[in-house]
Amino acid sequence: NSNASSSIGIAVKDSALTLGEKVNINITGDKSLGIYGNGVTYTDNAVTDILELSLTGKGSIGAYLTNQNSNILFRTKSVTLGNSLDSNNYSGGIYIDGTGKIDLETGNITIGNAPSSGEAFGVYVKSGTGANIGSIKTGDINISEDSALGIYGENVKNIQTGNITAGKTGIYQINRDTAAGVLNAGLMTVTGNVDNVLGIYTSNDGVVDVTVS
């Protein structure tokens, strides 16, 4: 727990990061980061009580994992964030990129407690290619920012999500794999007062079955 600005809950570089039961990261200061990893080997050993992220200050990011070149299953029970602070300090739920296979499973993601004109994202995943095509599974995503993106998935074949409320774009998916993919989404609500709003965009070399309900 921390109420200081620019706090980091966990930071690991070029090493192993293992999470067990009952890991709850609670930070109230602005411009903070729940988990930072660069080139980590990530292991989730939780069975019944998985990771929870709560960063209620402005301009914070729940988890940021970059250069993720080993396969990863990243799970959270929920992610709760404050509004964006400004154009240089926006809020974001979970960001993961790398050449490994990235599979993300998360419960509800909530960003902001009041409508705002800032930028934010719920999920950003850029997985590897070929055998390392990733997947995204989420609960509901609710973002109170005009220029918000619910889900961005690159080299992600399967997306399953609950309802999404975001300012500018609900889901943006790019997949260069020729195998068939699936995108199942709940209700899409785009609320922002900005140009070029978009509910779902998908670009794939293979066929993607899209279901919105």
Side-chain angles (χ1 to χ4, degrees), residues 75-141:
R75 301 184 299 159
T76 68
K77 182 184 296 183
S78 63
V79 180
T80 304
L81 301 168
N83 285 101
S84 294
L85 184 61
D86 52 47
S87 60
N88 295 317
N89 295 282
Y90 51 83
S91 294
I94 300 171
Y95 174 102
I96 310 176
D97 76 70
T99 59
K101 186 177 189 293
I102 298 170
D103 293 313
L104 170 66
E105 297 179 4
T106 181
N108 294 344
I109 297 176
T110 304
I111 300 178
N113 52 24
S116 175
S117 60
E119 300 181 18
F121 68 90
V123 168
Y124 183 108
V125 170
K126 183 178 180 182
S127 190
T129 58
N132 291 336
I133 292 289
S135 66
I136 296 171
K137 182 178 181 180
T138 79
D140 295 341
I141 297 176

CSV table of all heavy atoms in Angstrom, one decimal, residues 75-141:
chain,number,residue,atom,x,y,z
A,75,ARG,N,-2.8,-13.0,-15.2
A,75,ARG,CA,-4.2,-13.1,-14.8
A,75,ARG,C,-4.4,-12.0,-13.7
A,75,ARG,O,-3.5,-11.8,-12.8
A,75,ARG,CB,-4.6,-14.4,-14.2
A,75,ARG,CG,-4.4,-15.6,-15.1
A,75,ARG,CD,-4.9,-16.9,-14.5
A,75,ARG,NE,-4.1,-17.2,-13.3
A,75,ARG,CZ,-4.6,-18.0,-12.3
A,75,ARG,NH1,-5.7,-18.5,-12.3
A,75,ARG,NH2,-3.8,-18.2,-11.2
A,76,THR,N,-5.5,-11.3,-13.7
A,76,THR,CA,-5.9,-10.5,-12.6
A,76,THR,C,-7.4,-10.7,-12.2
A,76,THR,O,-8.2,-11.0,-13.1
A,76,THR,CB,-5.7,-9.0,-12.9
A,76,THR,OG1,-6.6,-8.6,-13.9
A,76,THR,CG2,-4.3,-8.7,-13.3
A,77,LYS,N,-7.7,-10.5,-11.0
A,77,LYS,CA,-9.1,-10.6,-10.6
A,77,LYS,C,-9.9,-9.3,-11.0
A,77,LYS,O,-11.0,-9.4,-11.5
A,77,LYS,CB,-9.2,-10.8,-9.0
A,77,LYS,CG,-10.6,-10.9,-8.5
A,77,LYS,CD,-10.6,-11.0,-7.0
A,77,LYS,CE,-9.9,-12.3,-6.5
A,77,LYS,NZ,-10.0,-12.4,-5.0
A,78,SER,N,-9.2,-8.2,-10.8
A,78,SER,CA,-9.8,-6.9,-11.2
A,78,SER,C,-8.7,-5.8,-11.3
A,78,SER,O,-7.7,-6.0,-10.7
A,78,SER,CB,-10.9,-6.5,-10.2
A,78,SER,OG,-10.3,-6.2,-8.9
A,79,VAL,N,-9.0,-4.8,-12.0
A,79,VAL,CA,-8.1,-3.6,-12.2
A,79,VAL,C,-8.9,-2.4,-12.0
A,79,VAL,O,-9.9,-2.2,-12.7
A,79,VAL,CB,-7.4,-3.6,-13.5
A,79,VAL,CG1,-6.5,-2.4,-13.6
A,79,VAL,CG2,-6.6,-4.9,-13.8
A,80,THR,N,-8.6,-1.5,-11.0
A,80,THR,CA,-9.3,-0.3,-10.8
A,80,THR,C,-8.3,0.9,-10.8
A,80,THR,O,-7.3,0.9,-10.1
A,80,THR,CB,-10.0,-0.3,-9.4
A,80,THR,OG1,-10.9,-1.4,-9.4
A,80,THR,CG2,-10.8,0.9,-9.2
A,81,LEU,N,-8.6,1.9,-11.6
A,81,LEU,CA,-7.7,3.0,-11.8
A,81,LEU,C,-8.4,4.3,-11.7
A,81,LEU,O,-9.6,4.4,-12.0
A,81,LEU,CB,-6.9,2.9,-13.1
A,81,LEU,CG,-6.1,1.7,-13.4
A,81,LEU,CD1,-5.7,1.6,-14.9
A,81,LEU,CD2,-4.9,1.7,-12.6
A,82,GLY,N,-7.7,5.4,-11.4
A,82,GLY,CA,-8.2,6.7,-11.4
A,82,GLY,C,-8.2,7.3,-12.9
A,82,GLY,O,-7.8,6.7,-13.8
A,83,ASN,N,-8.8,8.5,-13.0
A,83,ASN,CA,-8.8,9.2,-14.3
A,83,ASN,C,-7.3,9.5,-14.8
A,83,ASN,O,-6.4,9.5,-14.0
A,83,ASN,CB,-9.6,10.5,-14.2
A,83,ASN,CG,-11.1,10.2,-14.2
A,83,ASN,OD1,-11.7,10.3,-13.1
A,83,ASN,ND2,-11.7,10.0,-15.3
A,84,SER,N,-7.2,9.8,-16.0
A,84,SER,CA,-5.9,10.3,-16.6
A,84,SER,C,-5.6,11.7,-15.9
A,84,SER,O,-6.5,12.4,-15.6
A,84,SER,CB,-6.0,10.4,-18.1
A,84,SER,OG,-6.1,9.1,-18.7
A,85,LEU,N,-4.3,12.0,-15.9
A,85,LEU,CA,-3.9,13.2,-15.3
A,85,LEU,C,-3.8,14.3,-16.3
A,85,LEU,O,-4.4,15.4,-16.1
A,85,LEU,CB,-2.5,13.1,-14.6
A,85,LEU,CG,-2.0,14.3,-13.8
A,85,LEU,CD1,-2.9,14.6,-12.7
A,85,LEU,CD2,-0.6,13.9,-13.2
A,86,ASP,N,-3.2,14.0,-17.4
A,86,ASP,CA,-3.1,15.0,-18.6
A,86,ASP,C,-2.7,14.2,-19.8
A,86,ASP,O,-2.6,12.9,-19.7
A,86,ASP,CB,-2.1,16.1,-18.3
A,86,ASP,CG,-0.7,15.6,-17.8
A,86,ASP,OD1,-0.2,14.7,-18.5
A,86,ASP,OD2,-0.2,16.2,-16.8
A,87,SER,N,-2.4,14.8,-20.9
A,87,SER,CA,-2.1,14.1,-22.2
A,87,SER,C,-0.8,13.3,-22.1
A,87,SER,O,-0.6,12.4,-22.9
A,87,SER,CB,-2.0,15.1,-23.3
A,87,SER,OG,-1.0,16.1,-23.1
A,88,ASN,N,0.1,13.7,-21.2
A,88,ASN,CA,1.3,13.0,-21.0
A,88,ASN,C,1.3,11.9,-19.9
A,88,ASN,O,2.3,11.1,-19.8
A,88,ASN,CB,2.5,14.0,-20.7
A,88,ASN,CG,2.7,14.9,-21.9
A,88,ASN,OD1,2.8,14.5,-23.0
A,88,ASN,ND2,2.9,16.2,-21.6
A,89,ASN,N,0.2,11.9,-19.1
A,89,ASN,CA,0.1,11.0,-18.0
A,89,ASN,C,-1.3,10.4,-18.0
A,89,ASN,O,-2.1,10.8,-17.2
A,89,ASN,CB,0.4,11.7,-16.7
A,89,ASN,CG,1.8,12.2,-16.6
A,89,ASN,OD1,2.8,11.4,-16.3
A,89,ASN,ND2,2.0,13.5,-16.8
A,90,TYR,N,-1.5,9.4,-19.0
A,90,TYR,CA,-2.8,8.8,-19.1
A,90,TYR,C,-2.9,7.5,-18.3
A,90,TYR,O,-1.9,7.0,-17.9
A,90,TYR,CB,-3.2,8.6,-20.6
A,90,TYR,CG,-2.1,7.8,-21.3
A,90,TYR,CD1,-2.1,6.4,-21.3
A,90,TYR,CD2,-1.2,8.5,-22.2
A,90,TYR,CE1,-1.1,5.7,-22.0
A,90,TYR,CE2,-0.3,7.8,-22.9
A,90,TYR,CZ,-0.2,6.4,-22.8
A,90,TYR,OH,0.7,5.7,-23.5
A,91,SER,N,-4.1,7.1,-18.0
A,91,SER,CA,-4.3,5.9,-17.2
A,91,SER,C,-4.4,4.7,-18.2
A,91,SER,O,-4.9,4.8,-19.3
A,91,SER,CB,-5.5,6.0,-16.4
A,91,SER,OG,-5.4,7.0,-15.4
A,92,GLY,N,-3.9,3.5,-17.7
A,92,GLY,CA,-4.0,2.3,-18.5
A,92,GLY,C,-4.1,1.1,-17.6
A,92,GLY,O,-3.5,1.0,-16.6
A,93,GLY,N,-4.9,0.1,-18.1
A,93,GLY,CA,-5.1,-1.1,-17.3
A,93,GLY,C,-3.9,-2.0,-17.3
A,93,GLY,O,-3.1,-2.1,-16.4
A,94,ILE,N,-3.7,-2.8,-18.4
A,94,ILE,CA,-2.7,-3.8,-18.6
A,94,ILE,C,-2.0,-3.6,-19.9
A,94,ILE,O,-2.7,-3.6,-21.0
A,94,ILE,CB,-3.3,-5.2,-18.4
A,94,ILE,CG1,-3.9,-5.4,-17.0
A,94,ILE,CG2,-2.2,-6.2,-18.6
A,94,ILE,CD1,-4.7,-6.7,-16.9
A,95,TYR,N,-0.7,-3.5,-19.9
A,95,TYR,CA,0.1,-3.4,-21.2
A,95,TYR,C,1.1,-4.5,-21.2
A,95,TYR,O,1.9,-4.7,-20.2
A,95,TYR,CB,0.8,-2.0,-21.2
A,95,TYR,CG,1.7,-1.9,-22.4
A,95,TYR,CD1,1.4,-1.2,-23.6
A,95,TYR,CD2,3.0,-2.5,-22.4
A,95,TYR,CE1,2.2,-1.1,-24.6
A,95,TYR,CE2,3.9,-2.4,-23.5
A,95,TYR,CZ,3.5,-1.7,-24.6
A,95,TYR,OH,4.3,-1.6,-25.7
A,96,ILE,N,1.1,-5.3,-22.2
A,96,ILE,CA,2.1,-6.4,-22.4
A,96,ILE,C,2.6,-6.5,-23.8
A,96,ILE,O,1.7,-6.6,-24.7
A,96,ILE,CB,1.6,-7.8,-22.0
A,96,ILE,CG1,0.9,-7.7,-20.6
A,96,ILE,CG2,2.7,-8.8,-21.9
A,96,ILE,CD1,0.3,-9.0,-20.2
A,97,ASP,N,3.9,-6.5,-24.1
A,97,ASP,CA,4.4,-6.7,-25.5
A,97,ASP,C,5.6,-7.6,-25.4
A,97,ASP,O,6.3,-7.7,-24.4
A,97,ASP,CB,4.7,-5.3,-26.1
A,97,ASP,CG,6.1,-4.8,-25.6
A,97,ASP,OD1,7.1,-5.3,-25.9
A,97,ASP,OD2,6.0,-3.7,-24.9
A,98,GLY,N,5.8,-8.3,-26.5
A,98,GLY,CA,6.9,-9.2,-26.6
A,98,GLY,C,6.8,-10.2,-27.8
A,98,GLY,O,5.8,-10.2,-28.5
A,99,THR,N,7.8,-11.0,-27.9
A,99,THR,CA,7.8,-12.0,-29.0
A,99,THR,C,7.3,-13.4,-28.5
A,99,THR,O,7.0,-14.3,-29.3
A,99,THR,CB,9.2,-12.2,-29.6
A,99,THR,OG1,10.1,-12.6,-28.5
A,99,THR,CG2,9.7,-10.9,-30.2
A,100,GLY,N,7.1,-13.5,-27.2
A,100,GLY,CA,6.5,-14.8,-26.7
A,100,GLY,C,5.0,-14.8,-26.9
A,100,GLY,O,4.4,-13.9,-27.3
A,101,LYS,N,4.4,-15.9,-26.5
A,101,LYS,CA,3.0,-16.1,-26.5
A,101,LYS,C,2.4,-15.4,-25.3
A,101,LYS,O,2.7,-15.8,-24.1
A,101,LYS,CB,2.6,-17.6,-26.5
A,101,LYS,CG,1.1,-17.8,-26.7
A,101,LYS,CD,0.9,-19.3,-26.8
A,101,LYS,CE,-0.6,-19.7,-27.2
A,101,LYS,NZ,-1.5,-19.3,-26.2
A,102,ILE,N,1.5,-14.4,-25.5
A,102,ILE,CA,0.9,-13.7,-24.4
A,102,ILE,C,-0.6,-14.0,-24.3
A,102,ILE,O,-1.3,-13.7,-25.2
A,102,ILE,CB,1.1,-12.1,-24.7
A,102,ILE,CG1,2.6,-11.8,-24.7
A,102,ILE,CG2,0.4,-11.3,-23.6
A,102,ILE,CD1,2.9,-10.4,-25.2
A,103,ASP,N,-0.9,-14.6,-23.2
A,103,ASP,CA,-2.3,-14.9,-22.9
A,103,ASP,C,-2.7,-14.1,-21.7
A,103,ASP,O,-2.1,-14.1,-20.6
A,103,ASP,CB,-2.5,-16.4,-22.6
A,103,ASP,CG,-2.3,-17.2,-23.9
A,103,ASP,OD1,-2.8,-16.9,-24.9
A,103,ASP,OD2,-1.6,-18.2,-23.8
A,104,LEU,N,-3.8,-13.3,-21.8
A,104,LEU,CA,-4.2,-12.4,-20.8
A,104,LEU,C,-5.6,-12.8,-20.3
A,104,LEU,O,-6.5,-12.9,-21.2
A,104,LEU,CB,-4.2,-10.9,-21.2
A,104,LEU,CG,-4.9,-9.9,-20.3
A,104,LEU,CD1,-4.1,-9.8,-19.0
A,104,LEU,CD2,-5.0,-8.6,-21.0
A,105,GLU,N,-5.8,-13.0,-19.0
A,105,GLU,CA,-7.1,-13.2,-18.5
A,105,GLU,C,-7.3,-12.2,-17.3
A,105,GLU,O,-6.6,-12.3,-16.3
A,105,GLU,CB,-7.3,-14.7,-18.0
A,105,GLU,CG,-7.1,-15.7,-19.1
A,105,GLU,CD,-7.3,-17.1,-18.5
A,105,GLU,OE1,-7.5,-17.3,-17.3
A,105,GLU,OE2,-7.1,-18.1,-19.3
A,106,THR,N,-8.4,-11.4,-17.4
A,106,THR,CA,-8.6,-10.5,-16.3
A,106,THR,C,-10.1,-10.3,-16.1
A,106,THR,O,-10.9,-10.5,-17.0
A,106,THR,CB,-8.0,-9.1,-16.7
A,106,THR,OG1,-8.3,-8.2,-15.6
A,106,THR,CG2,-8.6,-8.5,-17.9
A,107,GLY,N,-10.5,-10.0,-14.9
A,107,GLY,CA,-11.8,-9.6,-14.6
A,107,GLY,C,-12.1,-8.2,-15.0
A,107,GLY,O,-11.6,-7.7,-16.0
A,108,ASN,N,-13.0,-7.5,-14.3
A,108,ASN,CA,-13.4,-6.2,-14.7
A,108,ASN,C,-12.3,-5.2,-14.6
A,108,ASN,O,-11.5,-5.3,-13.7
A,108,ASN,CB,-14.6,-5.7,-13.9
A,108,ASN,CG,-15.8,-6.5,-14.1
A,108,ASN,OD1,-16.0,-7.3,-15.0
A,108,ASN,ND2,-16.8,-6.4,-13.2
A,109,ILE,N,-12.3,-4.3,-15.6
A,109,ILE,CA,-11.3,-3.1,-15.6
A,109,ILE,C,-12.1,-1.8,-15.5
A,109,ILE,O,-13.0,-1.6,-16.4
A,109,ILE,CB,-10.4,-3.1,-16.8
A,109,ILE,CG1,-9.5,-4.4,-16.8
A,109,ILE,CG2,-9.5,-1.9,-16.8
A,109,ILE,CD1,-8.7,-4.5,-18.1
A,110,THR,N,-11.9,-1.0,-14.5
A,110,THR,CA,-12.6,0.2,-14.3
A,110,THR,C,-11.5,1.4,-14.3
A,110,THR,O,-10.6,1.3,-13.4
A,110,THR,CB,-13.4,0.3,-13.0
A,110,THR,OG1,-14.3,-0.9,-13.1
A,110,THR,CG2,-14.2,1.5,-12.9
A,111,ILE,N,-11.7,2.3,-15.1
A,111,ILE,CA,-10.8,3.5,-15.2
A,111,ILE,C,-11.6,4.8,-15.1
A,111,ILE,O,-12.4,5.1,-15.9
A,111,ILE,CB,-9.9,3.5,-16.5
A,111,ILE,CG1,-9.1,2.2,-16.6
A,111,ILE,CG2,-9.0,4.7,-16.5
A,111,ILE,CD1,-8.3,2.1,-17.9
A,112,GLY,N,-11.3,5.5,-14.0
A,112,GLY,CA,-11.9,6.8,-13.8
A,112,GLY,C,-13.2,6.7,-13.0
A,112,GLY,O,-14.0,5.7,-13.1
A,113,ASN,N,-13.5,7.7,-12.2
A,113,ASN,CA,-14.7,7.7,-11.4
A,113,ASN,C,-15.7,8.9,-11.8
A,113,ASN,O,-16.7,9.1,-11.2
A,113,ASN,CB,-14.4,7.8,-9.9
A,113,ASN,CG,-13.5,9.0,-9.6
A,113,ASN,OD1,-13.4,9.9,-10.4
A,113,ASN,ND2,-12.8,8.9,-8.5
A,114,ALA,N,-15.3,9.6,-12.9
A,114,ALA,CA,-16.1,10.7,-13.4
A,114,ALA,C,-15.7,10.9,-14.9
A,114,ALA,O,-14.6,10.7,-15.3
A,114,ALA,CB,-16.0,11.9,-12.6
A,115,PRO,N,-16.7,11.3,-15.8
A,115,PRO,CA,-16.3,11.6,-17.2
A,115,PRO,C,-15.2,12.7,-17.2
A,115,PRO,O,-15.1,13.6,-16.5
A,115,PRO,CB,-17.6,12.2,-17.7
A,115,PRO,CG,-18.7,11.6,-16.9
A,115,PRO,CD,-18.1,11.6,-15.5
A,116,SER,N,-14.2,12.4,-18.2
A,116,SER,CA,-13.1,13.3,-18.3
A,116,SER,C,-12.7,13.4,-19.8
A,116,SER,O,-13.1,12.5,-20.6
A,116,SER,CB,-11.9,12.7,-17.5
A,116,SER,OG,-10.7,13.5,-17.7
A,117,SER,N,-11.9,14.4,-20.2
A,117,SER,CA,-11.5,14.6,-21.6
A,117,SER,C,-10.2,14.0,-21.9
A,117,SER,O,-9.6,14.3,-22.9
A,117,SER,CB,-11.6,16.0,-21.9
A,117,SER,OG,-10.6,16.7,-21.1
A,118,GLY,N,-9.6,13.1,-21.1
A,118,GLY,CA,-8.3,12.6,-21.3
A,118,GLY,C,-8.3,11.3,-22.2
A,118,GLY,O,-9.2,10.9,-22.8
A,119,GLU,N,-7.1,10.7,-22.1
A,119,GLU,CA,-6.8,9.5,-22.9
A,119,GLU,C,-6.6,8.3,-21.9
A,119,GLU,O,-6.1,8.5,-20.8
A,119,GLU,CB,-5.6,9.6,-23.8
A,119,GLU,CG,-5.7,10.7,-24.8
A,119,GLU,CD,-4.5,10.8,-25.7
A,119,GLU,OE1,-3.7,9.8,-25.8
A,119,GLU,OE2,-4.4,11.8,-26.4
A,120,ALA,N,-7.0,7.1,-22.3
A,120,ALA,CA,-6.7,5.9,-21.5
A,120,ALA,C,-6.9,4.7,-22.3
A,120,ALA,O,-7.5,4.7,-23.4
A,120,ALA,CB,-7.7,5.9,-20.3
A,121,PHE,N,-6.4,3.5,-21.8
A,121,PHE,CA,-6.7,2.3,-22.4
A,121,PHE,C,-6.9,1.2,-21.4
A,121,PHE,O,-6.4,1.3,-20.2
A,121,PHE,CB,-5.5,1.8,-23.3
A,121,PHE,CG,-4.2,1.5,-22.5
A,121,PHE,CD1,-4.0,0.2,-22.1
A,121,PHE,CD2,-3.3,2.5,-22.2
A,121,PHE,CE1,-2.8,-0.1,-21.4
A,121,PHE,CE2,-2.1,2.2,-21.5
A,121,PHE,CZ,-1.9,0.9,-21.1
A,122,GLY,N,-7.8,0.2,-21.7
A,122,GLY,CA,-8.0,-0.9,-20.8
A,122,GLY,C,-7.0,-2.0,-20.9
A,122,GLY,O,-6.3,-2.3,-19.9
A,123,VAL,N,-6.8,-2.5,-22.1
A,123,VAL,CA,-5.8,-3.6,-22.4
A,123,VAL,C,-5.1,-3.3,-23.7
A,123,VAL,O,-5.7,-2.9,-24.7
A,123,VAL,CB,-6.6,-4.9,-22.5
A,123,VAL,CG1,-5.7,-6.0,-23.1
A,123,VAL,CG2,-7.2,-5.4,-21.2
A,124,TYR,N,-3.8,-3.5,-23.6
A,124,TYR,CA,-2.9,-3.4,-24.8
A,124,TYR,C,-2.0,-4.7,-24.8
A,124,TYR,O,-1.2,-4.9,-23.9
A,124,TYR,CB,-2.0,-2.2,-24.8
A,124,TYR,CG,-1.2,-2.0,-26.0
A,124,TYR,CD1,-1.5,-1.0,-26.9
A,124,TYR,CD2,-0.1,-2.8,-26.2
A,124,TYR,CE1,-0.7,-0.8,-28.1
A,124,TYR,CE2,0.7,-2.6,-27.4
A,124,TYR,CZ,0.4,-1.6,-28.3
A,124,TYR,OH,1.2,-1.4,-29.4
A,125,VAL,N,-2.2,-5.5,-25.8
A,125,VAL,CA,-1.4,-6.7,-25.9
A,125,VAL,C,-0.8,-6.8,-27.3
A,125,VAL,O,-1.5,-6.8,-28.3
A,125,VAL,CB,-2.2,-8.0,-25.6
A,125,VAL,CG1,-1.4,-9.3,-26.0
A,125,VAL,CG2,-2.6,-8.1,-24.2
A,126,LYS,N,0.5,-7.0,-27.4
A,126,LYS,CA,1.2,-7.2,-28.7
A,126,LYS,C,2.0,-8.5,-28.5
A,126,LYS,O,3.1,-8.5,-27.9
A,126,LYS,CB,2.1,-6.1,-29.1
A,126,LYS,CG,2.8,-6.3,-30.5
A,126,LYS,CD,3.6,-5.1,-30.8
A,126,LYS,CE,4.3,-5.3,-32.2
A,126,LYS,NZ,5.1,-4.1,-32.6
A,127,SER,N,1.5,-9.6,-29.0
A,127,SER,CA,2.0,-10.9,-28.8
A,127,SER,C,3.0,-11.3,-30.0
A,127,SER,O,3.2,-10.5,-30.9
A,127,SER,CB,0.9,-12.0,-28.7
A,127,SER,OG,1.4,-13.2,-28.3
A,128,GLY,N,3.6,-12.4,-29.8
A,128,GLY,CA,4.5,-12.9,-30.9
A,128,GLY,C,3.7,-13.5,-32.1
A,128,GLY,O,2.4,-13.4,-32.1
A,129,THR,N,4.4,-14.0,-33.1
A,129,THR,CA,3.7,-14.5,-34.3
A,129,THR,C,3.8,-16.0,-34.4
A,129,THR,O,4.5,-16.6,-33.5
A,129,THR,CB,4.3,-13.9,-35.5
A,129,THR,OG1,5.8,-14.2,-35.5
A,129,THR,CG2,4.2,-12.3,-35.5
A,130,GLY,N,3.2,-16.6,-35.4
A,130,GLY,CA,3.2,-18.0,-35.6
A,130,GLY,C,2.6,-18.8,-34.4
A,130,GLY,O,1.5,-18.6,-34.0
A,131,ALA,N,3.4,-19.7,-33.8
A,131,ALA,CA,3.0,-20.4,-32.6
A,131,ALA,C,2.8,-19.6,-31.4
A,131,ALA,O,2.2,-20.1,-30.4
A,131,ALA,CB,4.0,-21.6,-32.3
A,132,ASN,N,3.2,-18.4,-31.4
A,132,ASN,CA,3.1,-17.5,-30.3
A,132,ASN,C,2.0,-16.5,-30.4
A,132,ASN,O,2.0,-15.4,-29.7
A,132,ASN,CB,4.4,-16.8,-30.0
A,132,ASN,CG,5.5,-17.7,-29.6
A,132,ASN,OD1,5.2,-18.8,-29.0
A,132,ASN,ND2,6.8,-17.4,-29.8
A,133,ILE,N,1.0,-16.7,-31.3
A,133,ILE,CA,-0.2,-15.8,-31.3
A,133,ILE,C,-0.9,-15.9,-30.0
A,133,ILE,O,-1.1,-17.0,-29.4
A,133,ILE,CB,-1.1,-16.3,-32.4
A,133,ILE,CG1,-0.5,-16.1,-33.8
A,133,ILE,CG2,-2.5,-15.6,-32.3
A,133,ILE,CD1,-0.4,-14.6,-34.2
A,134,GLY,N,-1.3,-14.7,-29.4
A,134,GLY,CA,-1.9,-14.7,-28.1
A,134,GLY,C,-3.4,-14.7,-28.0
A,134,GLY,O,-4.1,-14.8,-29.1
A,135,SER,N,-3.9,-14.4,-26.8
A,135,SER,CA,-5.3,-14.4,-26.6
A,135,SER,C,-5.6,-13.4,-25.5
A,135,SER,O,-4.8,-13.1,-24.6
A,135,SER,CB,-5.9,-15.8,-26.2
A,135,SER,OG,-5.4,-16.2,-25.0
A,136,ILE,N,-6.9,-12.9,-25.5
A,136,ILE,CA,-7.3,-11.9,-24.5
A,136,ILE,C,-8.7,-12.3,-24.0
A,136,ILE,O,-9.6,-12.6,-24.8
A,136,ILE,CB,-7.4,-10.5,-25.0
A,136,ILE,CG1,-6.0,-10.0,-25.4
A,136,ILE,CG2,-8.0,-9.5,-24.0
A,136,ILE,CD1,-6.0,-8.7,-26.2
A,137,LYS,N,-8.9,-12.4,-22.7
A,137,LYS,CA,-10.2,-12.7,-22.1
A,137,LYS,C,-10.4,-11.7,-20.9
A,137,LYS,O,-9.5,-11.6,-20.0
A,137,LYS,CB,-10.2,-14.1,-21.6
A,137,LYS,CG,-11.6,-14.5,-21.0
A,137,LYS,CD,-11.6,-16.0,-20.5
A,137,LYS,CE,-12.9,-16.4,-19.9
A,137,LYS,NZ,-12.9,-17.8,-19.5
A,138,THR,N,-11.5,-10.9,-21.0
A,138,THR,CA,-11.7,-9.9,-19.9
A,138,THR,C,-13.2,-10.0,-19.5
A,138,THR,O,-14.0,-10.5,-20.1
A,138,THR,CB,-11.4,-8.5,-20.4
A,138,THR,OG1,-12.5,-8.0,-21.2
A,138,THR,CG2,-10.1,-8.4,-21.2
A,139,GLY,N,-13.4,-9.4,-18.3
A,139,GLY,CA,-14.7,-9.1,-17.9
A,139,GLY,C,-15.2,-7.8,-18.5
A,139,GLY,O,-14.7,-7.4,-19.7
A,140,ASP,N,-16.0,-7.0,-17.9
A,140,ASP,CA,-16.4,-5.7,-18.4
A,140,ASP,C,-15.3,-4.7,-18.3
A,140,ASP,O,-14.5,-4.7,-17.3
A,140,ASP,CB,-17.6,-5.2,-17.6
A,140,ASP,CG,-18.9,-6.0,-17.7
A,140,ASP,OD1,-18.9,-6.8,-18.7
A,140,ASP,OD2,-19.8,-5.9,-16.9
A,141,ILE,N,-15.2,-3.8,-19.2
A,141,ILE,CA,-14.3,-2.7,-19.2
A,141,ILE,C,-15.0,-1.4,-19.3
A,141,ILE,O,-15.8,-1.1,-20.2
A,141,ILE,CB,-13.3,-2.8,-20.4
A,141,ILE,CG1,-12.5,-4.1,-20.3
A,141,ILE,CG2,-12.4,-1.6,-20.5
A,141,ILE,CD1,-11.5,-4.3,-21.5
